[in-house]
Amino acid sequence: MEPHEDLNPDTDDLPLRANTNHILVRHYVLDLTVHPERRVISGSVVLFLEPCCGGRGNAEEDDSGPGAGNGASTAEAGGSQDGSVCRFRDVDTTEDGTKALGKRRMEKIPGAEERQGGELQAVSGIESKTAAQAENIHSSHLWETTSDDDFTLVLDCCDLDVSKVEEVDVTSVSAMDSFPSEVASERSGVSSANPQAAFIQKLVSWPSNRWRQKHQLFLLCSQTPGAQDGSSLPFQRDQWSLQVRKKGAASPQEFPRAVRICYETRPTGRSVRWTKDQDDRVCVYTAGSPINNRALFPCQEPPVAMSTWQATVRAPSFSTWSYYVTMPMPASTFTLAVGHWCQVTAEIPPALEGEVRNRTDCGKTAKPGDVSGERTEAGLVSGLGSSSSKVVKGSPHQTSSGDRTTCSDSTFSYAPLEDQALSVTDYSGMVDDGVSCSHGDYPCRFAERSAWSQRLIPYRVFGPVGLLQQAQMGVLQLLPRCLAAAHAVLGVHPFPRLDILIVPAGFSSLGMASPHIIFLSQSVLSDGSPGSGESCLSLCGSRLCHEIAHSWFGLVIGARDWTEEWISEGFATYLEDIIWAQAQQLSLHETAEQSDLKALLRWRRLSDELQNSQEELQILRPNMENTGQVSESGSSTVKHALNPDKTFMQVHYLKGYFLLRFLASEVGDEQFMDFFRLFVKKYHGQLILSQDFLQMLLIIFPDMERKGLTLSAIYAEWLDRPGIPKWLYERSSVWSQARLVEEVKAEVVKWILLSQSHQGKGRKRRRIEPKVNYKELTSEQLVMLLELLLEESELSVATIRTLQRTYNPHKQDAEVRHRWCELVVKHGYTQAYGDVEHFLVHDQAMGVYLYGELMVHEDPEQQALAGRCLSLVQEEMDQSARRVVEEMIL
C-alpha cells in the first residue's frame, strides 16, 4: 500500500502506512502536556531518522530470520530532563464539540528557544472541501508547492490535529564535536557536505555504553529551534497517515534527519481513553486500541520499526515526569496513563482508612473529605523515569477536598519508580558473561550477571482509593510470588522494574502488558469479604502470571507480523499455568491436575467460539505463506484488525495455547520448558515469525520430523486452517475424565437430582429439604459446575436458591460470577438480578455478551435490565464494546 492509497471502507484490515523500507525512526523525543479540562494531550514529537541503505527490499526476499526486521535495533536512549517545544492553548470549540477552524497560538515554554513565527498554521480546515473531506484530508499551505518527485516521509497517524512540521536545526548543539573518532562513521551515504545529517548519524551509531550521553544529546537536539529560514515542512494528513516532504529532497538520504511535529490529540481519539476512575476522578490512559498509538503521536507502526524513545509528560501547575527506554521496541509499546491514583501499601494509611470504609461498592464516590499526605497521584508512562514535580517523595502533600472530577487543585501525577539508583542503572561496565546476544546493540539485562539471580525486581501497585483493600489483599500479596516464579521458569527478568495500575472499570480486557507497566482490570480483584476464600485469588494470580509472561513473549520477543497474535497471547496463556503453579508451590501431580482442569475449560470455550464465529477469524496465520511480507516501501495491512467481532475473540489465546500443549506432549513437559529458555536466550530483543520458533524446535528435537511432524504439517493442522485439530478432539476426552473434573460431575448429579425432587411439588405442603453434603470446590471447579448446570434445560427456583446459599457465587471471582449471571438469566431467577446488574457495571471487560443473553429471551424485565445497565456505563464503556452492545439492545 503506497501513501496515496486510501483504506477500502469495505474491508476490516488495518493499514500500516509507514514507509519503513525507505527510512526509519531511530529515536523519539516526546514532549506532552495533559489538559484534563479539555480532554486532550498537546505537544510535540521529534523524530531522529536514518535512511535505509539503498532502500529495504521486500520481506519475501529476506530469509535471514527474525533479525531481518531489526535494522533499527541499534538506536539507543538515555536519561531525560524537563524541556519541551510546543503545546496548544485556547482552542476554539464549536457548539457541537468539534474543533473550530482557525489558527492556534504556540505557547512559549521555559527552556525552549524562541522560534520565528509565533503562530502555527491552521490545518483543520480546507474551505474548498466538504466537511467530510476535510475530516480525512488536511494539508499545510506548502503542500501544493511540492511534487511527486520529492521524497515523502509517511507516518502512521489518525485522530490528530497537526499544526506544524519543521526541520530541527541541530548545529547549535555545543557537544557536536565531542564524538570520539572510533564512532565517527560515515554511513548511509552521509557526507561532510551535510554536517547535520552526519551529526545525527554519529549520534544514533554510538554504542550502548554511551547511552546516557546519547540521551542528553537527543534531548538537547529536540530543544533547538527549527530551520534557520523559519520555514515549515510541507505536510498532508489523510485518514490513516501523515505525509511530510521537503521541497527538492528527492531521496531519503536528502531528507532531514531530525523533524519536529507539533500536534494535539482529540478527545475521542482512538489511541487514548478519557474517562473517570472508580473514585469518579478524571483520568486518561492508552487503551491498547487496535489502531495502536497512531492517535497519540505520529509514528512508524510496523513492528520492524524498532526504536528507542524518551518522553516528558506534564500536567499544568502540578508535575513533570521524564521517562525513557534503552531497548529498541515497536512504537505500539509506548504506554501512558495520567490520573489520581494511590500507591497500594502493606497497610492502608490512616489518612485513607475512612475513605476506604466509605467505598462500600466499586466505583461509588466517597463523601468529600480531606485526605492528606498519602496520595501519589499521577502520570504513568512505559519506561524508566523520574519526577520533577512539586511533590517530594516521602513528604506530605495536601490533596484537595473539593470537586474530584477535575485536577484543578490536586496533584495529577504518578511516576514509575522515582529511585534514582534504579532509574539510572549504569550498563557501561557490562561484560559478556556467556550470553551471546543476537540482537542489535543495547544495554541488555540478559548479558548482565547481576540480573541472572535477581528473582524479584522492584515493583509497585497503584489504584483508586476505593479499591486499595482489594488490591492489597490480591495484587500486592501475590505479585512477589508471581515474579519469583516467572524467574524460576524463564530466567532473567527482561525489564528492571514493574509498576501495576488498576485501571478504570471501562477497560476492555483483563490486563495489558507494556515495558515496566501492567494495566489490570478491577475484575481480577477479589472483593475481600469473609467467605470469599483463598480460592478467589486464583483469577488474580493467573492473570498476573499471564501479563508477567508477556515480558518475555510479546515484549522482549515480539511478532514480526501482527497477524500472528498467537506468538504473544498463546505463549502467555501457556506460561501462565506453569508460572502460577510455581507460585503456588504445587507438586508435579497437583500441577498436572490443575492443568487438565484448565485445559478442559479452555477447550469448552474454544469449541463454543469456533462454532459461533467466521472461519476466516479462526486462523492463527491468516496471511499463510505471505506472512511477514510487505510492499516495496515497507507498508502493509493487518488482516481483520478492525473487525469488531475479532476484538472479543480468544482463538489466538486458546488455539495457540493448545498448539504449545500439543508440542509439549510430543517432546515432554520439562524438555519443552528447557527449550523455551533456550529460545529466549537466542531470540530476546528480536522479532519472530511462527517459523522461527517451530524450525528451532524441529532442529532441537529431530525425532519430531521422523514422526511426520514437519513444519508444513504443523502449519496445515494448526496455523493455516480454521476449526479444531484432530489431536485436540482426542485429548479433550482425556481431560474430561480427570479427577478434579470427575469431582465436579458428581456434584452436578446432586444438583440435578435436587432440582428433579422439586418438580411437581404443590404449594400446600412445605416439604423439608433433604440434607445433602456438597463438596467444597475450587474457583475453576465452580466455573465447570456452573457451565455444566447451564446445559440443563430446567432448574427449579429452589435449587438455584440453594446453589446461591451454598457457594455464594456473587462473592467469588469474576469467572464464577460470569457463569452465575448466565445461569440467573437463563432461568429468570429474579432474586439475583442485582448480581447481574453489578456484574455488567463493574466487570465490563467480561460482560459484553451477557447483554445479548438478556435480550434473546425477549423477557421485558430482562431487557429493561440490559437497557438500564447500558445507560449506567455507556459514558465510560470501551467504544468497541459499546458499539457491540448497542447493536444488541437498540
Side-chain angles (χ1 to χ4, degrees):
M1 179 181 293
E2 298 306 318
H4 62 277
E5 298 181 51
D6 288 323
L7 178 72
N8 182 350
D10 297 326
T11 72
D12 54 17
D13 299 338
L14 173 68
L16 302 179
R17 303 288 292 273
N19 50 345
T20 55
N21 278 355
H22 298 156
I23 194 166
L24 283 168
V25 179
R26 303 296 301 275
H27 189 77
Y28 296 92
V29 177
L30 294 107
D31 189 278
L32 305 176
T33 300
V34 179
H35 303 280
E37 72 284 356
R38 294 193 292 117
R39 299 201 167 196
V40 299
I41 299 172
S42 67
S44 69
V45 58
V46 177
L47 283 56
F48 293 90
L49 301 160
E50 181 180 36
C52 301
C53 298
R56 292 164 61 102
N58 194 304
E60 185 177 19
E61 303 169 2
D62 188 353
D63 297 323
S64 57
N70 292 354
S73 62
T74 59
E76 311 306 331
S80 175
Q81 294 182 353
D82 187 11
S84 60
V85 179
C86 60
R87 61 186 178 194
F88 300 106
R89 65 179 179 186
D90 302 326
V91 178
D92 295 330
T93 304
T94 59
E95 290 183 0
D96 64 358
T98 60
K99 293 179 180 61
L101 309 184
K103 294 186 177 181
R104 298 191 181 92
R105 296 188 354 183
M106 185 170 70
E107 182 177 354
K108 184 179 176 183
I109 296 174
E113 296 188 28
E114 188 172 1
R115 295 188 201 6
Q116 296 180 10
E119 293 188 338
L120 303 181
Q121 177 68 31
V123 298
S124 55
I126 303 174
E127 295 184 6
S128 61
K129 296 182 178 292
T130 66
Q133 289 173 317
E135 174 65 24
N136 290 328
I137 301 178
H138 304 282
S139 301
S140 67
H141 67 284
L142 297 174
W143 184 256
E144 300 301 328
T145 67
T146 66
S147 71
D148 291 340
D149 293 331
D150 294 322
F151 171 74
T152 303
L153 167 68
V154 184
L155 301 171
D156 295 294
C157 173
C158 73
D159 299 342
L160 294 178
D161 292 321
V162 177
S163 57
K164 187 175 185 179
V165 181
E166 63 182 354
E167 180 178 359
V168 177
D169 182 3
V170 300
T171 56
S172 62
V173 177
S174 60
M176 196 168 171
D177 296 327
S178 64
F179 288 84
S181 58
E182 62 269 21
V183 295
S185 59
E186 303 291 345
R187 302 189 315 178
S188 303
V190 177
S191 68
S192 57
N194 190 342
Q196 293 204 52
F199 174 77
I200 298 299
Q201 185 62 60
K202 294 173 186 177
L203 182 55
V204 301
S205 303
W206 264 15
S208 60
N209 61 4
R210 304 292 300 276
W211 69 264
R212 201 182 307 278
Q213 296 97 315
K214 287 178 64 174
H215 192 113
Q216 182 67 17
L217 285 170
F218 277 131
L219 183 66
L220 290 173
C221 289
S222 73
Q223 296 174 341
T224 59
Q228 295 180 1
D229 61 4
S231 63
S232 299
L233 292 176
F235 67 90
Q236 175 174 280
R237 185 183 62 77
D238 59 24
Q239 182 180 3
W240 292 108
S241 71
L242 174 67
Q243 301 151 39
V244 182
R245 291 174 178 170
K246 181 177 182 180
K247 188 175 181 179
S251 68
Q253 286 73 20
E254 299 173 57
F255 195 77
R257 298 298 180 88
V259 173
R260 178 184 295 113
I261 303 170
C262 298
Y263 69 95
E264 183 172 279
T265 66
R266 297 177 183 176
T268 57
R270 286 167 283 176
S271 293
V272 292
R273 280 289 315 281
W274 285 96
T275 185
K276 291 184 179 179
D277 66 15
Q278 295 87 339
D279 295 332
D280 201 35
R281 310 183 78 151
V282 174
C283 63
V284 61
Y285 61 91
T286 47
S289 166
I291 68 166
N292 300 303
N293 277 329
R294 66 182 68 187
L296 177 60
F297 64 99
C299 57
Q300 292 183 330
E301 289 263 290
V304 297
M306 307 269 274
S307 61
T308 51
W309 54 261
Q310 60 198 92
T312 299
V313 180
R314 58 175 57 79
S317 304
F318 304 116
S319 304
T320 299
W321 308 277
S322 300
Y323 310 88
Y324 61 90
V325 293
T326 57
M327 179 190 302
M329 303 192 76
S332 60
T333 61
F334 182 92
T335 304
L336 176 145
V338 178
H340 302 259
W341 295 297
C342 302
Q343 183 170 354
V344 181
T345 56
E347 295 182 3
I348 304 297
L352 295 179
E353 281 183 353
E355 195 168 353
V356 171
R357 282 196 299 270
N358 284 334
R359 310 300 171 102
T360 58
D361 200 4
C362 300
K364 298 290 182 67
T365 305
K367 298 176 181 178
D370 184 28
V371 183
S372 303
E374 313 294 347
R375 195 186 291 271
T376 307
E377 306 165 72
L380 180 160
V381 180
S382 53
L384 296 171
S386 61
S387 171
S388 59
S389 68
K390 297 176 183 177
V391 181
V392 180
K393 188 175 180 182
S395 66
H397 178 78
Q398 185 72 22
T399 300
S400 169
S401 60
D403 183 1
R404 299 186 177 226
T405 63
T406 71
C407 67
S408 58
D409 40 28
S410 62
T411 304
F412 207 75
S413 61
Y414 162 106
L417 220 60
E418 297 169 2
D419 294 16
Q420 292 300 309
L422 292 166
S423 65
V424 295
T425 304
D426 190 358
Y427 296 92
S428 59
M430 185 187 303
V431 296
D432 185 357
D433 289 307
V435 175
S436 179
C437 297
S438 303
H439 55 71
D441 182 32
Y442 71 82
C444 177
R445 282 176 55 82
F446 287 86
E448 183 186 357
R449 180 176 289 276
S450 62
W452 296 3
S453 58
Q454 190 180 10
R455 297 171 63 247
L456 288 181
I457 54 176
Y459 61 86
R460 300 185 303 176
V461 179
F462 287 81
V465 172
L467 295 178
L468 287 185
Q469 187 173 30
Q470 293 96 309
Q472 177 196 77
M473 297 178 63
V475 180
L476 195 65
Q477 174 184 333
L478 296 174
L479 185 54
R481 290 159 54 182
C482 295
L483 286 170
H487 180 271
V489 171
L490 292 168
V492 176
H493 287 285
F495 302 101
R497 57 100 178 136
L498 176 65
D499 288 313
I500 291 182
L501 174 67
I502 310 301
V503 287
F507 189 62
S508 59
S509 63
L510 290 181
M512 186 178 79
S514 301
H516 311 105
I517 297 171
I518 289 174
F519 289 175
L520 277 185
S521 166
Q522 67 179 32
S523 294
V524 307
L525 304 178
S526 166
D527 68 0
S529 61
S532 58
E534 178 75 17
S535 178
C536 273
L537 296 177
S538 178
L539 177 61
C540 183
S542 59
R543 177 48 56 171
L544 273 174
C545 292
H546 181 102
E547 302 304 334
I548 290 170
H550 276 311
S551 291
W552 286 266
F553 290 94
L555 293 176
V556 78
I557 298 176
R560 190 165 130 203
D561 187 320
W562 274 339
T563 61
E564 292 200 303
E565 293 176 61
W566 83 276
I567 290 175
S568 175
E569 298 301 349
F571 279 62
T573 304
Y574 177 80
L575 289 167
E576 82 175 57
D577 290 356
I578 298 171
I579 297 172
W580 179 229
Q582 176 77 21
Q584 295 173 284
Q585 298 184 325
L586 300 182
S587 67
L588 289 176
H589 178 69
E590 290 171 326
T591 298
E593 286 193 327
Q594 187 180 90
S595 177
D596 286 350
L597 174 59
K598 288 186 175 182
L600 184 62
L601 286 169
R602 288 172 178 144
W603 150 252
R604 292 171 60 87
R605 196 173 308 157
L606 177 64
S607 180
D608 180 68
E609 182 169 284
L610 297 187
Q611 290 176 26
N612 297 282
S613 61
Q614 304 171 42
E615 286 194 348
E616 60 184 1
L617 299 181
Q618 301 174 13
I619 301 172
L620 297 188
R621 203 173 70 120
N623 290 330
M624 300 185 189
E625 66 275 5
N626 295 321
T627 300
Q629 295 185 17
V630 297
S631 73
E632 179 276 332
S633 70
S635 63
S636 62
T637 59
V638 183
K639 202 167 186 178
H640 307 307
L642 300 178
N643 188 315
D645 294 334
K646 186 175 179 294
T647 305
F648 304 101
M649 291 185 65
Q650 295 189 330
V651 64
H652 290 87
Y653 295 74
L654 301 177
K655 201 171 177 181
Y657 155 82
F658 284 122
L659 169 55
L660 295 174
R661 281 205 63 143
F662 163 69
L663 296 173
S665 72
E666 292 294 321
V667 303
D669 291 336
E670 290 188 22
Q671 294 86 342
F672 196 53
M673 281 312 306
D674 288 340
F675 171 74
F676 259 71
R677 287 184 282 270
L678 186 64
F679 186 82
V680 169
K681 182 177 178 181
K682 177 177 175 60
Y683 282 106
H684 68 271
Q686 300 180 64
L687 302 172
I688 66 169
L689 301 175
S690 297
Q691 67 192 48
D692 299 307
F693 178 80
L694 296 173
Q695 284 176 340
M696 183 172 171
L697 182 72
L698 294 174
I699 291 171
I700 299 295
F701 300 101
D703 286 345
M704 294 180 67
E705 287 201 87
R706 287 193 280 271
K707 292 187 294 185
L709 282 175
T710 62
L711 185 63
S712 59
I714 297 172
Y715 280 163
E717 183 72 0
W718 286 92
L719 298 177
D720 293 353
R721 64 180 290 267
I724 297 175
K726 180 182 178 182
W727 176 87
L728 192 45
Y729 275 117
E730 297 170 349
R731 195 66 186 174
S732 63
S733 63
V734 176
W735 295 326
S736 66
Q737 298 173 30
R739 182 184 69 84
L740 296 180
V741 178
E742 292 294 339
E743 287 182 356
V744 174
K745 290 179 180 177
E747 297 304 299
V748 170
V749 171
K750 296 177 186 178
W751 290 105
I752 293 175
L753 290 175
L754 178 63
S755 181
Q756 290 174 349
S757 72
H758 293 142
Q759 293 176 4
K761 288 184 180 179
R763 295 177 176 269
K764 294 184 179 179
R765 293 185 58 191
R766 180 181 177 86
R767 297 181 57 179
I768 299 175
E769 295 287 346
K771 184 173 179 60
V772 180
N773 292 321
Y774 296 105
K775 185 177 179 62
E776 185 175 346
L777 302 176
T778 66
S779 291
E780 287 83 6
Q781 285 182 306
L782 266 178
V783 171
M784 178 65 71
L785 174 80
L786 294 171
E787 285 191 1
L788 294 176
L789 289 177
L790 275 165
E791 295 175 358
E792 296 298 311
S793 59
E794 292 184 13
L795 283 177
S796 68
V797 171
T799 300
I800 299 177
R801 186 184 304 116
T802 305
L803 184 77
Q804 182 181 24
R805 192 167 54 243
T806 302
Y807 295 119
N808 291 314
H810 64 288
K811 294 183 178 181
Q812 302 293 335
D813 70 33
E815 293 283 5
V816 175
R817 297 199 306 272
H818 188 195
R819 296 342 184 267
W820 165 244
C821 289
E822 289 182 300
L823 197 71
V824 167
V825 172
K826 177 175 180 177
H827 297 287
Y829 183 56
T830 57
Q831 293 94 319
Y833 279 4
D835 293 346
V836 177
E837 180 172 337
H838 185 277
F839 187 84
L840 291 177
V841 170
H842 299 294
D843 298 287
Q844 295 176 36
M846 304 177 68
V848 171
Y849 290 114
L850 194 56
Y851 282 97
E853 293 171 39
L854 284 168
M855 299 303 295
V856 75
H857 296 293
E858 299 185 352
D859 177 284
E861 189 173 359
Q862 290 190 359
Q863 292 181 342
L865 174 60
R868 183 167 68 252
C869 290
L870 178 60
S871 67
L872 289 172
V873 302
Q874 60 185 353
E875 294 304 319
E876 64 187 63
M877 205 172 193
D878 175 77
Q879 293 180 21
S880 297
R882 178 175 172 176
R883 282 194 296 269
V884 171
V885 172
E886 286 176 340
E887 288 179 5
M888 295 176 184
I889 293 181
L890 306 177

